[in-house]
Amino acid sequence: ARAARRASAATLTRRECLPFLEALHDLATSGLSAGEAVRLLSVRIKEPKLRTLCAGIWEQISEGAPLSRAMAAFPHVFEPSITNLIQAGEATGSLNDTLARLIAHLTEQRELRRQLLTALAYPIFMVAVAGGVIVFFLVFLLPRLKTLLTSLGGKMPASTSILISLSNFALSPYGLITLVAAVLGVVSFVGWRQTAAGRAATDGWLLKLPLTGPFIVSQTVLTFSQTLSVLLENGITAAEALRMTEKQI
């Protein structure tokens, strides 16, 4: 059973963090201890992933670990700054207040991400539609029009000749090779961005974009300020709070 729980725990993500904290805060404010609240959640909560998380945390607590150390056993769900705040709340006896601040902070961050995705959804959609129209025209429509244009005779305009050449190229083996090379290039670029040098370079490019750059800067400054504020309010020293905020941004 423990091996099955560990396998299920491997599928947990950051998405389970906020629902867990909200459920824990609801029970903790009603007078239950953190351990008893986690135990109740592990047997009563219905959402499968959240129940797996609660069961794993309760297993750690039942073996004598405090809540912060039990949560730290799931680093793919809880960031170090969150577990450090929980530890500070346990030490000062203000766990409920700490949970409330964390929930408010994470809720604000989720709303910021939602606004960012909403702002980018329409441009991405338009680019995808435009790309699809171009591919459909070059690959399917233009070859059929080529026969009609050729049967009419006469000299075709330069723009039409260029489009027909592009269509012929797209339908040739060279077009397939170009497509495969483009896909490999995108995969390589994504892998390079995961490195420190790649992330620094691509972030620099994004910051130089006319509209995207200022928006990203403002959102990053807001996230930095909110995270630092939550850490300082819970008794974390300024130096430690800055170090933890740097890792989270």
Side-chain angles (χ1 to χ4, degrees):
R2 179 173 295 186
R5 284 198 297 269
R6 289 178 179 176
S8 300
T11 65
L12 299 175
T13 63
R14 302 277 189 208
R15 295 179 180 179
E16 283 70 54
C17 176
L18 182 57
F20 170 78
L21 294 177
E22 290 175 336
L24 179 62
H25 180 257
D26 290 340
L27 291 178
T29 52
S30 64
L32 295 178
S33 65
E36 184 65 16
V38 173
R39 187 189 68 79
L40 287 176
L41 289 175
S42 67
V43 296
R44 292 187 179 181
I45 206 161
K46 295 182 179 180
E47 205 282 322
K49 287 189 175 183
L50 203 55
R51 185 169 186 169
T52 299
L53 175 62
C54 294
I57 294 177
W58 169 244
E59 182 180 350
Q60 298 282 332
I61 293 177
S62 63
E63 293 176 354
L67 176 62
S68 56
R69 196 195 312 166
M71 292 171 61
F74 299 88
H76 46 292
V77 178
F78 303 105
E79 297 175 350
S81 60
I82 293 178
T83 55
N84 287 337
L85 286 174
I86 296 297
Q87 184 178 12
E90 289 176 316
T92 58
S94 58
L95 182 59
N96 289 349
D97 294 337
T98 301
L99 288 172
R101 293 192 187 101
L102 277 173
I103 291 170
H105 173 61
L106 294 176
T107 302
E108 290 176 353
Q109 284 191 329
R110 183 178 61 183
E111 181 63 20
L112 287 175
R113 287 193 295 268
R114 187 192 66 78
Q115 293 178 358
L116 178 61
L117 291 176
T118 302
L120 294 177
Y122 182 72
I124 292 175
F125 173 75
M126 293 303 297
V127 169
V129 170
V133 170
I134 292 174
V135 170
F136 175 79
F137 180 75
L138 290 177
V139 176
F140 297 101
L141 186 59
L142 192 57
R144 298 181 181 181
L145 292 176
K146 177 184 175 182
T147 304
L148 176 61
L149 294 173
T150 304
S151 64
L152 294 177
K155 185 178 181 181
M156 289 184 292
S159 58
T160 304
S161 300
I162 292 174
L163 287 175
I164 292 177
S165 299
L166 288 174
S167 176
N168 293 334
F169 177 80
L171 295 175
S172 68
Y174 297 105
L176 179 61
I177 294 174
T178 302
L179 177 62
V180 173
V183 171
L184 292 177
V186 170
V187 172
S188 300
F189 177 81
V190 172
W192 173 66
R193 175 168 164 71
Q194 302 303 318
T195 64
R199 187 171 182 83
T202 52
D203 286 350
W205 298 339
L206 287 175
L207 293 177
K208 293 178 182 178
L209 294 177
L211 297 177
T212 308
F215 180 78
I216 293 176
V217 170
S218 62
Q219 295 300 314
T220 303
V221 171
L222 180 58
T223 303
F224 170 82
S225 303
Q226 291 175 339
T227 304
L228 185 62
S229 173
V230 170
L231 293 171
L232 293 176
E233 286 177 354
N234 285 274
I236 306 297
T237 63
E240 183 67 12
L242 287 171
R243 184 185 65 81
M244 294 164 61
T245 304
E246 179 187 12
K247 292 182 177 180
Q248 186 172 349
I249 297 299

